[in-house]
Amino acid sequence: LKSVGQDMYTAEDDFWKIYSWAVEKTRMEKAMAANGLVRGKWMDQMVLDPATNKYVKTGESIQLTDDWFKREAADIVKNNIPNYDFVSDFVKGTRKLPLGNFVSFPAEIARTGTNIVSRALSDISYTVRVGNKTFQPFRGIGYQRLLGFGLTVAAVPYATTEMFKVLYDVTDEEQAAIRRYVAKWSKNSTILPIKDPETGEFKYVDFSHANAYDTLIRP
């Protein structure tokens, strides 16, 4: 049963990685095509030189091929989606310490969260030249990636908390009082308050346990 469960978990994890790879590859292809950059075209990757404030070529010319799109999409999936194969031996070794043994996932959230922001900024500034024209084909993708990440890690927890306060008529003072009495592992969590309208008794939902990126926002 343990083996079957592990295989099913791995299969589900692989499915979403493959799906994400296909989505990333497709939207890069569309972004390039929107600028007239289709397969077979040659382009130069450019970077802005701060000394001269001009774009300079970073290396050899690149031909847009299906393999190029595949590699770029694979790089995004590898660095932006948690993958336990990338957990360092140091992190794995901390399982033996009296700190808790579920360390791989938080470590990957920290790695991929940083990478998502880095990739978004890279997409925004990514510049190529074809002939005498320069393009920034992934700028829209970069802003979309940055916005999505910001909503996930900051806006959604805040908005969900405020929605619960409105639905259950919980004041800021009552919310603060609830936090004083929650279990110690929920002290710094995103708390969704619930108040019984008849008795006035309070309950709460620890939203942080459902938010994969709580590792980043908890500090």
Side-chain angles (χ1 to χ4, degrees):
L1 287 175
K2 180 182 177 182
S3 177
V4 171
Q6 183 170 318
D7 288 344
M8 290 179 65
Y9 177 86
T10 302
E12 180 266 347
D13 207 37
D14 289 345
F15 170 80
W16 286 112
K17 283 186 173 66
I18 295 169
Y19 173 78
S20 299
W21 174 83
V23 169
E24 294 289 354
K25 179 174 177 287
T26 299
R27 69 176 181 170
M28 282 195 300
E29 290 172 338
K30 289 181 178 179
M32 284 291 196
N35 290 277
L37 304 174
V38 295
R39 285 178 178 80
K41 286 274 189 179
W42 287 86
M43 64 180 187
D44 297 323
Q45 291 181 322
M46 311 294 289
V47 65
L48 187 63
D49 184 0
T52 61
N53 201 33
K54 294 181 179 180
Y55 285 102
V56 294
K57 186 177 176 181
T58 60
E60 296 181 359
S61 297
I62 298 172
Q63 185 178 26
L64 275 181
T65 63
D66 194 53
D67 283 343
W68 186 88
F69 285 112
K70 288 179 178 179
R71 287 195 302 270
E72 287 295 311
D75 187 68
I76 294 172
V77 171
K78 180 178 71 175
N79 292 307
N80 290 12
I81 297 179
N83 187 334
Y84 296 146
D85 287 334
F86 290 103
V87 178
S88 68
D89 291 336
F90 172 78
V91 172
K92 292 177 181 178
T94 60
R95 296 171 182 168
K96 299 177 182 180
L97 300 176
L99 303 174
N101 58 8
F102 194 58
V103 293
S104 295
F105 187 72
E108 276 301 282
I109 288 298
R111 182 184 73 88
T112 57
T114 303
N115 287 341
I116 289 171
V117 175
S118 176
R119 180 73 195 200
L121 296 176
S122 176
D123 285 340
I124 291 170
S125 62
Y126 185 80
T127 305
V128 297
R129 183 180 65 191
V130 178
N132 295 323
K133 293 184 178 180
T134 58
F135 305 92
Q136 291 180 309
F138 300 151
R139 178 177 286 265
I141 294 176
Y143 282 123
Q144 183 181 3
R145 199 186 305 280
L146 205 58
L147 177 62
F149 185 72
L151 289 173
T152 300
V153 302
V156 169
Y158 176 79
T160 306
T161 300
E162 293 302 310
M163 180 183 70
F164 267 68
K165 287 166 67 176
V166 171
L167 289 176
Y168 292 98
D169 192 26
V170 177
T171 66
D172 292 338
E173 292 76 13
E174 288 171 331
Q175 171 80 341
I178 292 173
R179 189 173 292 280
R180 290 201 300 270
Y181 289 97
V182 298
K184 62 180 181 180
W185 53 81
S186 296
K187 289 291 184 181
N188 296 314
S189 296
T190 300
I191 299 298
L192 306 182
I194 300 173
K195 182 168 68 173
D196 190 310
E198 297 181 358
T199 65
E201 293 182 347
F202 290 97
K203 298 179 181 179
Y204 73 93
V205 175
D206 190 334
F207 182 74
S208 292
H209 284 285
N211 183 7
Y213 288 97
D214 182 69
T215 301
L216 295 179
I217 64 175
R218 180 173 291 261

